[in-house]
Amino acid sequence: MKTFEFTIIASGLDHEADDFEDRFFEAGCDDATIAFARGAILLHFAREAESIEHAIESAISDVRSAGAQVDRVEPDNLVSLSEIATRANMTKGAISHYSKGARGRGFPHPVARVTTDSPLWDWDQVSKWLADRGKIDAILVAEASAVRKFNTRLEIEQSECAVYAAVH
């Protein structure tokens, strides 16, 4: 078993309720640190599991058992050059050189805020590129892919709920 760290962003419960933290603990989130920020419930997990997929899946189930709605999983896939450097344990300068093509070709293009001074890249794409060149461990690629998978699934579920609510 390995310990995986990630954060679930949730909503739907009153963070000022007397039983707020107890609900999560009793639902199996005893391996999470709970916080409330910017209107969202943040549950930072350090969960032991056979894989990142199992860790996230079980945490989502536990958060829902507590009565909360799961909005998304972090760390987010949209990253700046600084965040790429931090996640890859490299310098920002090295990542900047990669992004400009000064150290190898084919670095992924930014996917958001492309026309600004602070574009964002897709961590899933960047992690694969870095791993292919032996710069990061393949586990980071698997984790990025798992987070993307769960966030896509959560977005689809939320869209289906919104359509259902609009029809009824």
Side-chain angles (χ1 to χ4, degrees), residues 79-103 107 113 116-121 123 126 129-130:
V79 291
S80 65
L81 288 178
S82 294
E83 182 66 19
I84 293 169
T86 298
R87 291 185 188 188
N89 198 25
M90 299 174 74
T91 66
K92 185 179 176 193
I95 298 300
S96 181
H97 284 300
Y98 286 131
S99 73
K100 294 175 183 173
R103 285 191 185 166
F107 191 83
R113 298 189 339 209
T116 70
D117 289 337
S118 54
L120 297 173
W121 282 260
W123 175 240
V126 172
W129 190 89
L130 289 169

Side-chain angles (χ1 to χ4, degrees), residues 11 17 27 39 80 94 102 104 111 123-124 131 146 150 163:
S11 59
S80 65
V111 296
W123 175 240
D124 194 30
F150 282 103
V163 168

